[in-house]
């Protein structure tokens, strides 16, 4: 695609987002920003959550990873499915009963002032790094596809991208995002379907033959039972459950969408339907990955060392203009659907948990919320530019993985608050929340020596959370 064509596609896309923002932000108030006045249709939320859950990292990485670990990711996704059911049956009733805006606000009454601030802080830290990392990857693609051709610096393109997100979210927040996510999910799914169709056409096979070729391929193995392998079924499955409970059920970003539904009954329907579609879409991504490798082998193309580059390389250079447009829209939609909701969730969490700005706040609260929203937008720009300055992909990925450690304390605090009613020495909770990830990192680094060859994977989150729980029990006020 030429830079001009890229510009036309991206410009049309954002004009459509801004138009949706204008429609949804009329008569918007503080409550609209925080929970969409609890008026979102459940089916709209369910469909839109696909785009927010499948980030730009997933969009690129899952197909590429098929060449390294086959379909083993599906073991993790099956655990995700159970995790979503637990959220629907356990966490959503709890949140709706307390009528929460920020899901962390109940911690102050249950455990204390510092426990609330600790959980909210670790969420903000995780979300800033995660959202910046995802936008950074997409900004690199856009830089190569468009901005470099016109000599526009990376810093300018990043500022422009974040400004556009701020522009269509600053008035109505989550109310706008519920609707824009549906658009972005559509582009994301269509990109995968278009690519699969184009590859099947070039390979000269029917849909039935596609399924058969994937099934008989060496890349289609799903279950692995070597307990020392990072892909061992049990640890992938259990880790999938806990990862979903934390990164979705205990994450303000995802839960804020669920809490926009009109009632608990509708929120549950949303979660059950969404989780079913989620498994199906991941299967599409895995199938696409197998087809990408088959097509690369047929045309004699060497697979890049960084398998993440396989899908974008083929889509933009070998599969025609229609697939290139679909891919560009798909990866942009995937990244921006997770970034815009992250920005709104961070604003909500900081306003409610740190500034005590509620839904009923008047003009002063509204003004502060707008400044917080702008401040987090600027922070995203700064973190992305720091990633660029590092200019070392392995270091940037390591920073992103390190952010995953910060979800362990959130898991630990939630578990402790749910199952223990004892008072604790609350002022020491931040120390426990810092020590648990550090200790988890040390154990993970030497796990092969300590546990006879065992390597930690996603289940490290469980260890991190359990260490946090253990530390909190040490803080119980024995009096």
């Amino acid at each position: 695609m030429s830079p001009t064509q890229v510009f036309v596609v991206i410009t049309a896309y954002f004009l459509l987002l801004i138009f949706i923002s204008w429609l949804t932000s009329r008569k918007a108030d503080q409550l609209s920003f925080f929970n969409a006045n609890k008026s979102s249709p459940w089916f709209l939320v369910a469909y839109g959550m696909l785009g927010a859950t499948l980030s730009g990292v997933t969009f690129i990485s899952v197909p590429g990873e098929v060449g390294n670990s086959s379909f083993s990711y599906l073991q993790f996704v099956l655990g995700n499915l159970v995790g979503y059911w637990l959220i629907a049956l356990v966490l959503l009733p709890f949140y709706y009963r307390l009528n929460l805006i920020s899901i962390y606000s109940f911690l102050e009454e249950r455990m204390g002032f510092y426990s609330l601030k600790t959980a909210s802080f670790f969420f903000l830290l995780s979300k800033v790094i995660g959202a910046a990392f995802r936008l950074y990857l997409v900004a690199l693609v856009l830089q190569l596809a468009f901005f470099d051709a016109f000599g526009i610096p990376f810093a300018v393109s990043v500022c422009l991208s974040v400004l556009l997100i701020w522009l269509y979210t600053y008035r109505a927040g989550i109310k706008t995002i519920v609707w824009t996510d549906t658009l972005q999910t559509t582009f994301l799914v269509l990109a995968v379907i278009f690519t699969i169709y184009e590859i099947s056409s070039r390979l000269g096979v029917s849909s039935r033959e596609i399924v058969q070729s994937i099934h008989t391929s060496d890349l289609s193995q799903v279950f692995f039972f070597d307990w020392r392998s990072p892909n061992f079924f049990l640890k992938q499955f259990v880790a999938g459950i806990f990862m979903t409970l934390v990164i979705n059920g205990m994450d303000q970003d995802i839960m804020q969408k669920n809490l926009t539904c009109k009632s608990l009954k509708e929120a549950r329907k949303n979660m059950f339907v969404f989780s079913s579609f989620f498994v199906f879409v991941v299967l599409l991504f895995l199938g696409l990955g197998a087809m990408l490798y088959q097509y690369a082998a047929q045309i004699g193309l060497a697979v890049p060392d960084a398998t993440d580059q396989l899908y974008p390389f083929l889509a933009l250079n070998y599969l025609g203009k229609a697939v290139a447009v679909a891919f560009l829209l798909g990866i942009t939609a995937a990244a921006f659907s997770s970034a815009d909701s992250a920005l709104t969730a961070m604003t909500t969490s900081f306003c409610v948990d740190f500034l005590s700005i509620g839904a009923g706040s008047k003009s002063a609260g509204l003004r502060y919320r707008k400044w917080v929203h702008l401040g987090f937008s600027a922070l995203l720009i700064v973190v992305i530019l720091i990633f660029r300055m590092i200019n070392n992909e392995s270091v940037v990925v390591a920073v992103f993985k390190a952010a995953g450690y910060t979800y362990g304390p959130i898991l630990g605090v939630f578990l402790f608050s749910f199952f223990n009613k004892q008072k604790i020495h609350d002022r020491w909770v931040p120390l426990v929340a810092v020590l648990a990830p550090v200790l988890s990192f040390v154990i993970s680094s030497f796990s092969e020596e300590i546990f006879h060859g065992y390597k930690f994977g996603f289940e490290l989150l469980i260890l991190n959370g359990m260490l946090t729980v253990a530390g909190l029990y040490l803080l119980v006020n024995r009096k």
Side-chain angles (χ1 to χ4, degrees), residues 51-52 55-56 127 131 134 181 184 253 333-343:
S55 67
K127 197 56 64 173
R134 295 179 179 97
D181 275 357
Q184 296 176 137
D253 186 0
F336 281 86
S337 64
S338 58
D340 55 19
S341 60
L343 181 58

Side-chain angles (χ1 to χ4, degrees), residues 304-316:
D305 293 334
T307 56
D308 285 1
Q309 299 175 7
L310 178 62
Y311 184 20
F313 185 68
L314 286 174
L316 295 175

Side-chain angles (χ1 to χ4, degrees), residues 227-229 232 235 443-444 446-457 459:
W227 68 273
R228 284 172 293 194
S229 168
F232 176 46
K235 71 178 184 180
I443 294 174
S444 174
F446 297 97
S447 65
E448 293 184 73
E449 292 82 358
I450 299 172
F451 302 113
H452 306 288
Y454 183 86
K455 295 180 180 179
F456 277 97
E459 77 280 7

Side-chain angles (χ1 to χ4, degrees), residues 1-18 138-139 141-143 145-147 157 160-162 164-165 168 183-184 187 316 324-336:
M1 292 182 67
S2 70
T4 303
Q5 291 170 328
V6 174
F7 174 76
V8 171
V9 170
I10 299 300
T11 301
Y13 173 74
F14 275 107
L15 287 175
L16 187 55
L17 289 180
I18 292 172
V138 176
V141 173
L142 294 178
Q143 188 71 26
F146 171 69
F147 291 107
S157 64
L160 182 60
S161 299
V162 176
L164 288 169
I165 294 175
Y168 72 80
L183 176 71
Q184 296 176 137
F187 284 129
L316 295 175
V325 171
F327 171 80
L328 193 60
L329 285 173
I331 189 174
T332 304
F336 281 86

Side-chain angles (χ1 to χ4, degrees), residues 200-212:
S200 64
S201 297
R202 291 173 181 246
L203 293 176
V205 295
S206 65
S207 57
R208 178 178 296 181
E209 291 171 326
I210 290 173
V211 175
Q212 183 64 27

Side-chain angles (χ1 to χ4, degrees), residues 208-470:
R208 178 178 296 181
E209 291 171 326
I210 290 173
V211 175
Q212 183 64 27
S213 66
I214 292 174
H215 178 68
T216 57
S217 168
D218 294 336
L219 299 175
S220 63
Q221 182 179 354
V222 175
F223 299 105
F224 294 78
F225 296 103
D226 178 3
W227 68 273
R228 284 172 293 194
S229 168
N231 298 322
F232 176 46
F233 167 73
L234 187 60
K235 71 178 184 180
Q236 287 270 8
F237 181 74
V238 174
I241 296 173
F242 277 87
M243 190 71 76
T244 299
L245 285 173
V246 179
I247 297 184
N248 291 273
M250 301 173 188
D251 183 283
Q252 174 66 26
D253 186 0
I254 299 298
M255 283 298 100
Q256 192 165 356
K257 294 184 178 70
N258 286 273
L259 295 176
T260 66
C261 293
K262 299 173 184 178
S263 65
L264 171 61
K265 181 180 179 181
E266 294 204 353
R268 278 178 162 172
K269 284 195 292 186
N270 151 60
M271 186 59 70
F272 286 129
V273 172
F274 152 71
S275 59
S276 302
F277 278 118
F278 174 73
V279 175
F280 172 74
V281 172
V282 170
L283 277 171
L284 278 181
F285 273 102
L286 292 171
L288 170 62
M291 294 183 68
L292 289 170
Y293 279 94
Q294 290 177 359
Y295 182 70
Q298 177 164 321
I299 65 175
L301 179 69
V303 175
D305 293 334
T307 56
D308 285 1
Q309 299 175 7
L310 178 62
Y311 184 20
F313 185 68
L314 286 174
L316 295 175
N317 298 286
Y318 287 89
L319 295 175
K321 186 174 294 185
V323 171
V325 171
F327 171 80
L328 193 60
L329 285 173
I331 189 174
T332 304
F336 281 86
S337 64
S338 58
D340 55 19
S341 60
L343 181 58
T344 302
M346 289 188 292
T347 302
T348 300
S349 181
F350 190 85
C351 286
V352 175
D353 299 331
F354 286 91
L355 302 182
S356 300
I357 298 174
S361 301
K362 302 303 180 183
S363 57
L366 180 63
R367 185 169 63 252
Y368 289 142
R369 189 258 291 167
K370 289 183 177 180
W371 278 109
V372 170
H373 193 240
L374 184 62
F376 275 114
S377 301
L379 183 59
L380 281 179
I381 293 173
V382 171
V383 176
I384 293 171
L385 294 180
I386 290 174
F387 285 163
R388 179 68 166 182
M389 289 171 60
I390 294 173
N391 201 27
N392 184 321
E393 185 178 348
S394 61
V395 174
V396 173
V397 172
V399 172
F400 175 65
K401 289 182 177 178
Y405 281 89
T406 59
Y407 276 102
I410 297 175
L411 172 63
V413 169
F414 266 74
L415 289 177
F416 186 87
S417 66
F418 284 152
F419 299 108
N420 191 295
K421 308 302 181 185
Q422 295 172 289
K423 295 295 183 181
I424 65 172
H425 296 289
D426 178 59
R427 65 182 180 276
W428 295 107
V429 171
L431 178 62
V432 170
V434 171
L435 290 178
V438 172
L439 188 56
S440 298
F441 175 77
V442 173
I443 294 174
S444 174
S445 300
F446 297 97
S447 65
E448 293 184 73
E449 292 82 358
I450 299 172
F451 302 113
H452 306 288
Y454 183 86
K455 295 180 180 179
F456 277 97
F458 291 119
E459 77 280 7
L460 187 63
L461 172 72
I462 303 173
L463 172 65
N464 196 346
M466 294 303 102
L467 289 173
T468 304
V469 171

